[in-house]
DNA sequence: AAAGCTACCCGCCAAT
DNA sequence: TGATTGGCGGGTAGCT
C-alpha cells in the first residue's frame, strides 16, 4: 500500500533514496538525481528530496571515488529507492546493502532498478517469481543466475507495482519519468521530460522500445544477422535463412534461438521495425515507401507492427523523432 | 470484421 | 554412448 498521506494544499516532499556502492554505474546514478531534482510544483518548490546513500562514506565508481554523505539508515524514510547498475555484475554485494533494500521493501517503499541494478534486486530476493528486465547484454546472465525470475529483454521497463526494473541507461530515464507520472500525473511527467529534452511521444506512454544493438554472436550467426540487415526488403522466410546458413529449417530455428535468443521470424520482424524507425527518423519517405524498403507487405502491416513494438503510430513517431538536417 | 490460409515454432524421435 | 541433426505433425500467430 503506497503512502498517500497528504493534507489539503500540502504535499509532503517525497524522499527518493539512490543507492551507491562499489562498482556503481555513474550514468545510472546520475539520471535519477537529475530527473527527480527537477520536479517542482506550480510555485517552484521541489517535490522530491533526492538523497544518495551508501554503506560506507566513500565508494568506488570506475575511475572516480564518490564521497557519499548519507548512510543506509536513510532508507528508512524513503518513499522510493533507486538501485543503479553495477559493474561487473559478478561482484559480491555487501549484505547490509541487500538487507536494507529488503527492509525498505517490506516497509512498503517502492524499489526501482536501472540497467544491471536488477542484479542487486535479484540478489536481495525481491524479484523471485516476478517479471524483470535489465540491459539486453546482461539478460541471459541474469536469467542464468536467478532462474526464479522471468527475464524479458525486449521491454524498456517492467512495472510490478512496488518493484520495478528497467533496461539500459536510456531506459532508466524512461523509468524515472514513469515514476513521476505515477506520483504526480501526466502533466508533471511531461514537464520534467521536456526539461531533460525527452521527446513527448516517448514520455507519453506505455511505449516499450527495443534496444537497437545486435547481440554479440559467433561466426555463422553474426554474418547471418548482417545478411538479414542487408536483405530486409526481400521476402525472408525460414527456408531462405536456412538455405543461406546451410542448415535445415529445423536446425536453424534451434540454433538461432540458442545463439541469438529469439526466433528467426520475430528477429526479422523486429529488424524491420527498427529499419522503419530509422527511415522515419532520417527521411521524408511516405509510409508506403518505407513499408516497401523495410520489407513489410503493406503499409497496413507496417502500421500494426510498428504500433505494437514502438507504442506509437509511425507519423507521430516521425513528428517527435525526426532528426533535422544540420542547417547550413 | 471474420474466416481461411500460410508459415512458424517446437516437442518428439529416429538417424547420424 | 551422448550430442546434434533434421523430418514430421499439431497447435497457432499473423496476413490476406
Amino acid at each position: 500500500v503506497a503512502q498517500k498521506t497528504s493534507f489539503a494544499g500540502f504535499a509532503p516532499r517525497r524522499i527518493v533514496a539512490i543507492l551507491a556502492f562499489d562498482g556503481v554505474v555513474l550514468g545510472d546514478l546520475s539520471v535519477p538525481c537529475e530527473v527527480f531534482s527537477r520536479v517542482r510544483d506550480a510555485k517552484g518548490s521541489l517535490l522530491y528530496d533526492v538523497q544518495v546513500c551508501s554503506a560506507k562514506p566513500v565508494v568506488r565508481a570506475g575511475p572516480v571515488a564518490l564521497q557519499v554523505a548519507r548512510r543506509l539508515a536513510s532508507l528508512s524514510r524513503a518513499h522510493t529507492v533507486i538501485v543503479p547498475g553495477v559493474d561487473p555484475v559478478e561482484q559480491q554485494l555487501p549484505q547490509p546493502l541487500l538487507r536494507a533494500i529488503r527492509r525498505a521493501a517490506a516497509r512498503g517503499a517502492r524499489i526501482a532498478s536501472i540497467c544491471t541494478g536488477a542484479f542487486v534486486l535479484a540478489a536481495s530476493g525481491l524479484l523471485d517469481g516476478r517479471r524483470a528486465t535489465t540491459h539486453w547484454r546482461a539478460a541471459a546472465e541474469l536469467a542464468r543466475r536467478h532462474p526464479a525470475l522471468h527475464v524479458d529483454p525486449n521491454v524498456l521497463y517492467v512495472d510490478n507495482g512496488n518493484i520495478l526494473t528497467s533496461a539500459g541507461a536510456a531506459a532508466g530515464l524512461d523509468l524515472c519519468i514513469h515514476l513521476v507520472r505515477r506520483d504526480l500525473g501526466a502533466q508533471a511527467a511531461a514537464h520534467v521530460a521536456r526539461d531533460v529534452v525527452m521527446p513527448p511521444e516517448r514520455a507519453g506512454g506505455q511505449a516499450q522500445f527495443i534496444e537497437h544493438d545486435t547481440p554479440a554472436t559467433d561466426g555463422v550467426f553474426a554474418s547471418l544477422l548482417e545478411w538479414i540487415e542487408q536483405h530486409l526488403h526481400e521476402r525472408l522466410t525460414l527456408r531462405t535463412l536456412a538455405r543461406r546458413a546451410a542448415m535445415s529449417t529445423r536446425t536453424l530455428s534451434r540454433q538461432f534461438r540458442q545463439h541469438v535468443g529469439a526466433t528467426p521470424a520475430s528477429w526479422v520482424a523486429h529488424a524491420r521495425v527498427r529499419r522503419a524507425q530509422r527511415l522515419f527518423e532520417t527521411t521524408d519517405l511516405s509510409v508506403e515507401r518505407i513499408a516497401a524498403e523495410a520489407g513489410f507487405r503493406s503499409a497496413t502491416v507496417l502500421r500494426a507492427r510498428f504500433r505494437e513494438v514502438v507504442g506509437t503510430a509511425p507519423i507521430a513517431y516521425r513528428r517527435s523523432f525526426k532528426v533535422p538536417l544540420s542547417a547550413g
Side-chain angles (χ1 to χ4, degrees), chain A residues 135-208:
Chain A
H135 191 283
W136 66 263
R137 202 191 297 274
E141 177 66 8
L142 182 65
R144 194 183 65 73
R145 292 165 67 109
H146 303 281
L149 317 195
H150 308 295
V151 179
D152 184 348
N154 288 333
V155 298
L156 262 193
Y157 55 79
V158 175
D159 183 343
N160 279 322
N162 270 5
I163 310 277
L164 303 91
T165 50
S166 61
L173 180 55
D174 291 271
L175 175 73
C176 292
I177 303 287
H178 173 70
L179 291 176
V180 172
R181 188 182 313 116
R182 270 182 49 176
D183 291 340
L184 306 165
Q187 202 175 358
H191 195 271
V192 67
R194 195 158 49 238
D195 211 34
V196 297
V197 199
M198 186 186 205
E201 287 299 332
R202 180 155 163 136
Q206 291 72 17
Q208 301 189 321

Side-chain angles (χ1 to χ4, degrees), chain A residues 283-325:
Chain A
T283 73
D284 282 318
L285 298 175
S286 67
V287 181
E288 283 74 15
R289 183 68 195 288
I290 289 179
E293 293 282 330
F296 294 95
R297 305 289 284 279
S298 71
T300 311
V301 177
L302 163 61
R303 291 197 184 90
R305 301 296 290 161
F306 196 94
R307 172 137 233 145
E308 191 179 317
V309 174
V310 180
T312 67
I315 296 305
Y317 179 85
R318 168 177 270 162
R319 206 178 305 124
S320 41
F321 282 93
K322 179 86 201 297
V323 181
L325 292 174

Side-chain angles (χ1 to χ4, degrees), chain A residues 2-4 10-18 31-42 44-52 70 77-82 110 112 164 173-193 195:
Chain A
Q3 305 120 311
K4 277 192 180 158
F10 177 76
R13 190 174 295 175
R14 293 178 171 83
I15 294 177
V16 175
I18 302 170
V31 162
C33 289
E34 290 295 326
V35 171
F36 290 106
S37 61
R38 284 167 189 267
V39 182
R40 296 170 184 274
D41 66 12
S45 51
L46 293 168
L47 292 175
Y48 291 98
D49 182 0
V50 177
Q51 305 180 349
V52 178
R70 291 177 177 277
R77 290 167 50 241
H79 168 268
T80 297
V81 177
I82 307 280
R110 188 170 61 181
L164 303 91
L173 180 55
D174 291 271
L175 175 73
C176 292
I177 303 287
H178 173 70
L179 291 176
V180 172
R181 188 182 313 116
R182 270 182 49 176
D183 291 340
L184 306 165
Q187 202 175 358
H191 195 271
V192 67
D195 211 34

